Amino acid sequence: MVTARAAATFEPEGRSAGAARGFVRDALLGWGLPEVVDDAVVLVSELVTNAVVHAGTAAEVAVLREEESVRIEVTDRHPERGLPAFANVPAHGSDHFGDPDGEGGRGLLMCSAISTCWGVEYSAGRKTVWFRLALPEHHVGTRYALPSLPGGELPDTDGPVLVGVVRIDEQGTVRSCNPDAEVLLRLPADQLLGRAWAELVDWPAPGLGLAETLRLARWEGGFTLFGDGGEVYAVQVRVRDTHGEPSTLCLLVREADRAVLRSPVTAADAPAGVEPLDLLVGHLGPDDLGGLLQRIVERARDLLDADAAYLLLTTDDETEFELRAATGLPGGLRRHAPIPVESGAGRYDSARLPAVHEDLAVRPNAVPLLAGSGLRSLITVPLKVDGRLTGSLGVAATTAGRYDNEDALRLQFAADRVALALESARLTELERLRRGSLSFLVEASDLLAGTLELGQTLALMAQMAVPTLASWCAVYTSADAGADLAFVLHQDEDRIDRLRDLLDKTPPPDAARDSGVTFWSAPAEAARQAGLTDSPELAGLLGETVVLPLVARNRVIGLLVLGVSTGQRFRQEMLELAEDLSRRAALALDNSRLYSERTATSQAFQRALLPPDLPAIPGLEVEVFYQAAGEGNEVGGDFYDIFQIREGTYGFAIGDVCGTGPEAAAVTGLARHALRLLAREGLDGPQLLSRLNSAILDEGSRSRFLTLLYGELTPRQDGCTELSLVCAGHPLPLRLRTDGQVTPAATPQPLLGVLEELELTAEQVVLEPGEVLLCVTDGVTERREGQRMLGDDGLAAVLTGCTGLTAGAVAARVQRAVERFAPEPPSDDMAILTLRVPEQRTG
């Protein structure tokens, strides 16, 4: 005997098999038959695919509930096709199959293997394949909660029962209605359509207002109609049209016929002392989603006098649940742990209908979330908004058989009343997180762009990730032999060294340019192999770990590793934010690497241009101060040198190449090496500078003007020092006598790099004991503050006060005077060379 029947037709298109599966699943769950759902869905999927894909016709699916079985029929309109590869189907009483790998007849093979019995029926223009699944005897397990029969509450009337249907849009305006609605509202359709619903109903003052109620996922209750329409009972449900626009569908009956629509449990019929769940949520801030979720689970637990409760929310694609709030559950449960909604291992098998789990000990895998918790009875109800599954609310007790159908329906009614408010708070949280993510990325970009120092960039990357995105962070940089661990940071500074030790023992991760986020279990495996799993130093350290490639200019330059503590996992929005951060950090890291390499190369080149250590000259004090202008420059256009020409005679030079930077430094190198080579060849000062002038002019467009003071010195036995000087366009050297008098020690001559023929002469000077020769570049004399310049006179005034000072003290005082002359740092290269003949000591 058939006790219930459901049927539907599916067009010949690819998505029909999926739609048929959903239809059969909903029909069987609606009849409270979860035990046969999986087998029925598998068989229907194969048979409908045969019809709509292979036969190319529409498929009619009929589900028939019988007293002890379920019969399902799949009918197509292509009878001449017959049974495909029928030889593959075993004959009655035989276990032999034809080709097990054959494509044809697979659906029939499955029918033979799974169903109690099956068959094929032909009629005019039709072919029907049917199968029957026996219903198992009832055992303790999961029962889907369905509304109970109204019993004695059936309407008592001799006339027709009017059920009005009114659709109300987002603005509260009537958009459509049926004839029964016209009778109940006592207005024709042309006077109803386009009219505000608030003008037609007398909404009761207490509780939610009309506008708020129209936006609830589901509501039912009584109110009065204007215009002598009397009292009615209504059920309001949020729906969404084919264009995705939400509206409210309102079903109306007379108050006397309320049993037609009324749910078994309503707010008005709630047991004494038990209030509807939504009235217990209270007033919370619009951004306090966590508080709202926690309050809901606590009130749900109290509502049914339970031992525990939990609340799950779906991800954006509605394929997984995340645990967001719980009370009375073990503390080790992971927040945001993923739970498949309908497929996969550990799936949540009562997601879309209210269900009563009578004894979880009998079905330990029914709700993996509660495994090992000691809870036995469980009610789960879905949270839905506009027909979409947004979450699930569960209430559990430690004793078996604690809850029944009525408890589930009462909890479902309460959940319906909070679903919209909860979804609104969740969307507000998501928007707040998106705004926070944008602010975070803007700040990260600014910080990363503010430095080109490699070590600081690595530190910034880790500091931005911890603790905003993860509990700890490690940055690897690419090397020829693999990846090198460059930086480690943990939110607990005391654990950084232990974490670094573990990562040093772990082979570095691999990541391709397009790999995106990948999960990494190697640190936990390394800890296990080292026997450190239970070590106090690693307790709670290693939870979920992910690796993100640092890609810049189409190549992987490093890896960003993020980890959380044991029992935690990364939320999807955090991983997406981490990917955005890794892209910005990769470019900053590459820029810092390139800058560091360029700076190191430049500094190595510049150091090669600097003279070696100053020679020790008997009977003479020598001091040099040198400073190149520009960040990262060690050598510029100014240069100096002191070197031995022959026994007892030394050469010294101080010069200034026109310009600064690498081009000027190249001429500096040419001049310094040429001076040494030519001086040791025996050329005197004028000859030497003439040859150097020719070498500079030979550089062509790369040549630079050069001012140069060149001298040769020879200490004498009487304590004096003979000097031979040539000043080619350079600031004149100053001689400080023992009485404080300052005079030029040479006369100006043409600079180098301009004229092909030069007439230069050497000038002889003898420095007496206690006298000082000060040689500087124009970075000293041309030091400016606005229109004011230090100049030769200012330098002479500084030198006058240096009587009696050592060569080092004289150089230091001149250098301080230059720096203090203006608040801004010097903008030109600067060199100071000081020679002093020490005073002879007597007895």
Side-chain angles (χ1 to χ4, degrees):
M1 176 183 293
V2 176
T3 60
R5 185 178 189 277
T9 301
F10 302 94
E11 296 301 319
E13 53 190 20
R15 61 183 179 181
S16 292
R21 290 194 296 270
F23 164 71
V24 172
R25 179 187 295 109
D26 291 343
L28 295 177
L29 292 180
W31 294 340
L33 303 175
E35 298 87 352
V36 297
V37 166
D38 290 340
D39 290 344
V41 166
V42 169
L43 297 180
V44 166
S45 180
E46 288 293 328
L47 296 177
V48 171
T49 299
N50 286 339
V52 301
V53 175
H54 300 303
T57 75
E60 299 175 6
V61 179
V63 185
L64 295 85
R65 166 72 184 271
E66 300 172 336
E67 291 184 353
E68 297 181 354
S69 63
V70 171
R71 175 185 167 107
I72 299 181
E73 302 173 350
V74 179
T75 301
D76 65 54
R77 300 185 179 276
H78 200 289
E80 65 273 13
R81 184 171 180 272
L83 294 177
F86 190 74
N88 285 335
V89 183
H92 179 70
S94 171
D95 293 331
H96 173 71
F97 286 81
D99 179 11
D101 298 323
E103 289 292 329
R106 181 176 295 172
L108 302 181
L109 285 172
M110 297 180 69
C111 286
S112 177
I114 296 176
S115 65
T116 304
C117 57
W118 65 278
V120 182
E121 297 177 356
Y122 289 89
S123 60
R126 298 165 62 91
K127 179 177 97 277
T128 299
V129 179
W130 59 269
F131 61 87
R132 179 174 281 113
L133 299 172
L135 297 177
E137 295 183 5
H138 176 73
H139 59 83
V140 176
T142 301
R143 294 184 295 107
Y144 288 87
L146 302 171
S148 58
L149 296 176
E153 296 183 356
L154 286 173
D156 184 13
T157 178
D158 294 333
V161 175
L162 300 176
V163 180
V165 181
V166 180
R167 187 172 69 86
I168 306 160
D169 64 15
E170 284 288 84
Q171 287 70 44
T173 303
V174 177
R175 289 303 174 196
S176 63
C177 63
N178 69 343
D180 282 4
E182 297 180 58
V183 175
L184 291 172
L185 293 165
R186 299 188 180 184
L187 289 172
D190 58 356
Q191 296 185 30
L192 289 174
L193 301 184
R195 193 167 178 180
W197 186 240
E199 298 176 1
L200 302 172
V201 301
D202 183 10
W203 198 256
L208 292 175
L210 176 58
E212 292 82 1
T213 305
L214 289 174
R215 285 174 172 77
L216 293 177
R218 186 181 185 279
W219 178 90
E220 65 177 276
F223 52 84
T224 304
L225 300 177
F226 284 127
D228 298 328
E231 294 185 358
V232 294
Y233 195 82
V235 171
Q236 294 177 176
V237 180
R238 291 282 281 180
V239 296
R240 188 184 298 274
D241 63 19
T242 55
H243 301 291
E245 294 296 328
S247 59
T248 301
L249 199 65
C250 182
L251 280 66
L252 306 169
V253 296
R254 295 189 181 97
E255 176 63 27
D257 301 332
R258 63 184 298 177
V260 173
L261 300 179
R262 180 176 174 273
S263 297
V265 179
T266 65
D269 301 319
V274 179
E275 300 178 65
L277 185 59
D278 64 318
L279 299 181
L280 291 175
V281 171
H283 297 287
L284 296 171
D287 296 333
D288 191 9
L289 177 62
L292 176 62
L293 296 173
Q294 193 62 35
R295 186 76 64 85
I296 287 175
V297 296
E298 292 172 356
R299 298 311 186 188
R301 178 195 59 192
D302 297 341
L303 180 67
L304 294 178
D305 192 23
D307 298 307
Y310 62 86
L311 196 149
L312 312 172
L313 293 182
T314 59
T315 54
D316 290 341
D317 57 5
E318 299 182 26
T319 60
E320 291 182 334
F321 283 121
E322 292 180 337
L323 177 64
R324 298 296 299 272
T327 181
L329 297 185
L333 285 177
R334 296 189 302 167
R335 290 290 193 270
H336 307 289
I339 304 170
V341 173
E342 291 182 317
S343 61
R347 71 187 180 109
Y348 201 81
D349 67 355
S350 57
R352 301 185 182 276
L353 291 173
V356 180
H357 298 264
E358 297 171 329
D359 191 352
L360 296 177
V362 177
R363 297 189 65 209
N365 297 324
V367 186
L369 177 68
L370 301 183
S373 65
L375 297 167
R376 302 281 296 275
S377 299
L378 173 68
I379 298 175
T380 59
V381 297
L383 298 168
K384 295 183 178 181
V385 174
D386 294 337
R388 295 183 300 105
L389 181 68
T390 60
S392 180
L393 178 63
V395 174
T398 55
T399 57
R402 175 76 171 273
Y403 302 115
D404 57 19
N405 191 77
E406 295 301 316
D407 293 323
L409 292 175
R410 186 151 62 97
L411 184 62
Q412 180 68 73
F413 179 80
D416 288 342
R417 298 173 69 90
V418 297
L420 185 63
L422 195 154
E423 178 69 0
S424 177
R426 188 179 74 89
L427 293 176
T428 300
E429 180 199 53
L430 290 176
E431 181 61 26
R432 180 173 55 82
L433 289 175
R434 290 188 182 99
R435 290 197 301 268
S437 298
L438 290 176
S439 300
F440 171 78
L441 292 174
V442 169
E443 181 180 0
S445 298
D446 289 342
L447 289 173
L448 290 170
T451 179
L452 287 174
E453 201 278 317
L454 183 60
Q456 190 173 3
T457 300
L458 292 170
L460 281 174
M461 292 168 57
Q463 290 166 4
M464 286 184 292
V466 177
T468 303
L469 303 178
S471 301
W472 61 269
C473 170
V475 183
Y476 290 79
T477 54
S478 295
D480 294 338
D484 294 331
L485 183 61
F487 199 88
V488 177
L489 181 66
H490 194 285
Q491 62 184 2
D492 182 355
E493 294 183 359
D494 295 336
R495 312 196 75 173
I496 294 178
D497 292 339
R498 194 68 191 91
L499 177 61
R500 178 180 284 276
D501 290 342
L502 177 62
L503 293 177
D504 283 337
K505 299 175 183 176
T506 305
D510 296 323
R513 183 168 61 89
D514 301 323
S515 61
V517 178
T518 57
F519 291 88
W520 191 37
S521 59
E525 181 63 21
R528 187 188 65 80
Q529 292 179 356
L532 301 174
T533 304
D534 298 327
S535 170
E537 294 87 352
L538 294 181
L541 179 64
L542 298 176
E544 196 168 70
T545 305
V546 296
V547 179
L548 299 97
L550 297 172
V551 180
R553 299 174 177 92
N554 293 321
R555 59 192 181 90
V556 178
I557 63 168
L559 302 170
L560 180 65
V561 179
L562 303 177
V564 291
S565 302
T566 303
Q568 297 183 9
R569 68 179 292 269
F570 288 98
R571 296 182 62 183
Q572 183 61 34
E573 55 265 30
M574 289 296 103
L575 293 180
E576 293 173 357
L577 185 58
E579 285 190 280
D580 284 335
L581 175 63
S582 69
R583 285 190 286 269
R584 288 163 169 79
L587 187 58
L589 180 62
D590 198 40
N591 289 337
S592 297
R593 180 185 61 81
L594 293 174
Y595 178 79
S596 298
E597 290 177 357
R598 191 204 72 177
T599 301
T601 301
S602 175
Q603 290 175 346
F605 169 71
Q606 293 178 66
R607 290 190 190 104
L609 299 178
L610 292 173
D613 294 338
L614 298 178
I617 302 176
L620 190 69
E621 296 176 7
V622 180
E623 185 64 36
V624 173
F625 172 81
Y626 182 83
Q627 177 176 299
E631 182 181 357
N633 290 333
E634 294 188 20
V635 174
D638 290 5
F639 71 96
Y640 69 92
D641 198 4
I642 301 178
F643 55 93
Q644 185 175 20
I645 299 175
R646 55 188 174 271
E647 183 70 26
T649 299
Y650 297 84
F652 68 93
I654 183 169
D656 183 2
V657 179
C658 177
T660 60
E663 295 83 1
V667 177
T668 296
L670 171 65
R672 191 174 69 81
H673 292 294
L675 287 173
R676 287 192 171 218
L677 177 64
L678 296 174
R680 288 168 178 169
E681 288 293 322
L683 277 68
D684 60 18
Q687 294 172 330
L688 187 151
L689 267 60
S690 294
R691 295 281 292 273
L692 178 59
N693 180 65
S694 297
I696 294 174
L697 291 175
D698 288 344
E699 291 293 308
S701 61
R702 294 181 299 176
S703 65
R704 292 286 190 276
F705 304 152
L706 172 63
T707 68
L708 180 65
L709 170 65
Y710 174 74
E712 295 181 358
L713 62 89
T714 304
R716 297 189 325 201
Q717 292 295 329
D718 60 1
C720 298
T721 298
E722 293 182 0
L723 300 176
S724 177
L725 303 175
V726 180
C727 187
H730 199 76
L732 298 178
L734 298 179
R735 180 179 184 177
L736 173 63
R737 300 181 184 273
T738 55
D739 60 1
Q741 183 182 358
V742 176
T743 59
T747 57
Q749 301 186 60
L751 56 81
L752 307 183
V754 178
L755 303 175
E756 293 185 1
E757 298 294 334
L758 293 179
E759 294 184 4
L760 301 172
T761 58
E763 300 178 77
Q764 308 302 317
V765 176
V766 176
L767 285 184
E768 302 290 336
E771 293 185 346
V772 174
L773 183 71
L774 175 65
C775 311
V776 300
T777 59
D778 61 6
V780 174
T781 57
E782 294 180 3
R783 174 72 161 143
R784 293 179 179 275
E785 182 187 27
Q787 299 297 321
R788 193 167 62 97
M789 186 171 68
L790 179 63
D792 295 335
D793 294 339
L795 179 61
V798 174
L799 184 60
T800 300
C802 296
T803 303
L805 298 180
T806 64
V810 172
R813 179 169 292 188
V814 172
Q815 182 259 333
R816 287 197 301 270
V818 172
E819 289 188 345
R820 293 173 179 173
F821 188 77
E824 299 82 9
S827 60
D828 194 7
D829 301 333
M830 181 168 57
I832 302 172
L833 172 61
T834 306
L835 304 176
R836 180 178 181 270
V837 180
E839 297 176 344
Q840 294 182 346
R841 298 181 180 180
T842 59

